[in-house]
Amino acid sequence: MVEITSRQVNDFLLHPPKNLSVAIFFGPDHGLISQRAKKLASQLGNEQEIVRLHNDELVQNMELLIDGVTSLSMFAEQQVYHLVNMDKALHSSISNLLTLSPGHYPVIIEAPGKTKTDKSIKLALSEPQYFVIGCYQETSRQSLQHITSALKQKGHKFALGCEDNLAELLGEDHLLTVSALNSLDLYLGPEPQEITPDMIAAALGQRQSIASNFILESMTLGRRKLIQQMHLAQNQNLTIPAILYHLERDLEISQKIQFLSTKGLKGKSLFAQMKPRIHFSRETFYLKAGDIFGGQRGRDLLKTLYLHEELHRRDDKVSWSRLE
């Protein structure tokens, strides 16, 4: 195996090796695992070349992965297989991949919650050609350093006490760090500025005042409610990439709920199987969303969204109309 350290990971994601066969992201930070896996996938192929398979799909049919990575695609010269949020299917996925000859399509695996002592990670560590990357939660100081260094490289300066103010807002949430950097970068623009607490409040206060997962909830209530929510999100500077991230996450949860319900689970027994846990205030919504967007319909929705290149642009009016 090739274990990528925290110092090496940024260079690895920007310049992945050409002979990459399998890369596994593991550890306690689910958000960081997802972000890094998606970034690596986008480096290896465009959106049309990335095939996303989920845990429940592979539990039911492992041939989706094995046949896929060894078969020539009729629609693309290159394909990248991204295994999202692997759990029960993790060990069998790695075991089956180890039986294949070199030269298959690259496979990127998310293994949230796993450690080096897990049998699946141990199995991956035994393969010399596999890349294994640990993803650990950042401290608030690391999160702050990530943002300040990125902004200072663009010529921005921080007023006295401003960095402490930003650290309090961030806490230790890595996804919030990424979100905050996007928001501040967008708010400040290309010209170097001295950043003040008021500017941070303006950039992040509005950004955090709307929960982007309300987008999917609005979709369950009809087009009129969705358009109202989209206009609210647009006015509060919520970016298209941020909405897509939360929309994808909510669709994955909805699909898992539908899958568990087909196994006869319901109520507390169903939600006890959800990781990360869902707050009780959202359970009714997710049950409804599971009925509407679970399974193939949710996957088709995501596929349709990602087919539109405009959706990846932050300030394009076309992207907003596409999403609506």
Side-chain angles (χ1 to χ4, degrees):
M1 65 83 192
V2 180
E3 187 170 2
I4 305 299
T5 66
S6 57
R7 292 184 178 181
Q8 299 170 324
V9 68
N10 287 334
D11 186 62
F12 173 77
L13 294 176
L14 288 174
H15 309 288
K18 293 181 180 180
N19 64 337
L20 188 146
S21 172
V22 175
I24 302 172
F25 295 88
F26 73 97
D29 194 328
H30 292 224
L32 188 56
I33 289 171
S34 176
Q35 181 207 8
R36 286 177 172 175
K38 288 177 182 177
K39 185 171 184 177
L40 180 58
S42 67
Q43 289 290 94
L44 296 173
N46 61 45
E47 193 58 41
Q48 285 71 40
E49 294 170 336
I50 299 173
V51 179
R52 293 185 175 88
L53 296 174
H54 295 75
N55 181 75
D56 296 338
E57 293 175 294
L58 294 182
V59 167
Q60 295 178 343
N61 186 5
M62 184 57 63
E63 292 180 0
L64 289 173
L65 171 63
I66 303 308
D67 290 347
V69 298
T70 56
S71 303
L72 290 176
S73 171
M74 298 176 61
F75 307 102
E77 294 183 5
Q78 164 77 325
Q79 283 193 314
V80 180
Y81 278 75
H82 179 186
L83 310 190
V84 180
N85 201 22
M86 288 293 104
D87 186 16
K88 292 182 179 179
L90 176 62
H91 191 76
S92 57
S93 296
I94 296 174
S95 299
N96 279 279
L97 287 169
L98 285 169
T99 66
L100 303 180
S101 301
H104 60 74
Y105 289 130
V107 181
I108 300 168
I109 303 176
E110 295 180 15
K114 303 300 182 183
T115 67
K116 285 186 179 181
T117 60
D118 183 87
K119 65 177 182 178
S120 303
I121 304 302
K122 283 183 176 180
L123 187 61
L125 290 170
S126 68
E127 170 52 51
Q129 300 302 316
Y130 283 14
F131 293 87
V132 181
I133 305 96
C135 300
Y136 302 99
Q137 188 175 36
E138 293 183 333
T139 65
S140 57
R141 183 53 55 183
Q142 288 173 319
S143 301
L144 177 66
Q145 187 177 12
H146 175 73
I147 290 183
T148 55
S149 61
L151 295 176
K152 285 176 180 178
Q153 285 178 2
K154 296 188 175 183
H156 301 298
K157 297 180 180 180
F158 284 82
L160 184 65
C162 195
E163 294 186 31
D164 292 335
N165 175 255
L166 182 56
E168 290 180 7
L169 286 174
L170 292 176
E172 298 185 0
D173 187 336
H174 177 80
L175 289 178
L176 184 56
T177 302
V178 177
S179 169
L181 179 56
N182 288 338
S183 296
L184 281 166
D185 194 27
L186 189 64
Y187 179 86
L188 294 170
E191 296 297 323
Q193 299 190 53
E194 183 178 46
I195 304 172
T196 66
D198 287 342
M199 294 169 74
I200 290 178
L204 302 190
Q206 289 184 341
R207 178 74 163 81
Q208 297 172 38
S209 65
I210 175 174
S212 49
N213 54 16
F214 287 173
I215 297 297
L216 184 63
E217 190 162 350
S218 300
M219 293 174 72
T220 67
L221 300 175
R223 180 173 173 78
R224 183 178 177 182
K225 182 68 175 177
L226 173 61
I227 297 301
Q228 290 176 348
Q229 189 66 43
M230 292 300 297
H231 285 310
L232 181 59
Q234 189 174 13
N235 291 336
Q236 297 191 352
N237 295 327
L238 194 67
T239 65
I240 294 290
I243 292 175
L244 286 177
Y245 166 77
H246 288 282
L247 186 56
E248 181 176 18
R249 183 196 62 182
D250 276 357
L251 284 170
E252 288 175 3
I253 293 173
S254 301
Q255 289 166 7
K256 185 170 184 179
I257 285 177
Q258 188 196 52
F259 174 77
L260 291 173
S261 65
T262 62
K263 299 295 183 181
L265 296 176
K266 60 182 180 179
K268 292 183 178 180
S269 60
L270 187 153
F271 283 98
Q273 300 294 317
M274 301 301 296
K275 295 179 181 180
R277 293 297 176 88
I278 296 173
H279 193 269
F280 70 90
S281 64
R282 301 274 291 159
E283 289 182 4
T284 301
F285 155 67
Y286 275 122
L287 285 171
K288 184 176 181 179
D291 291 336
I292 299 175
F293 298 109
Q296 189 60 43
R297 187 172 182 183
R299 290 191 290 273
D300 288 343
L301 171 61
L302 272 177
K303 185 177 179 181
T304 302
L305 289 174
Y306 282 112
L307 282 175
H308 297 298
E309 182 183 354
E310 296 92 344
L311 288 173
H312 297 284
R313 303 173 187 168
R314 293 182 182 174
D315 295 320
D316 188 346
K317 292 182 179 179
V318 176
S319 66
W320 283 98
S321 63
R322 292 282 192 190
L323 192 54
E324 290 174 3

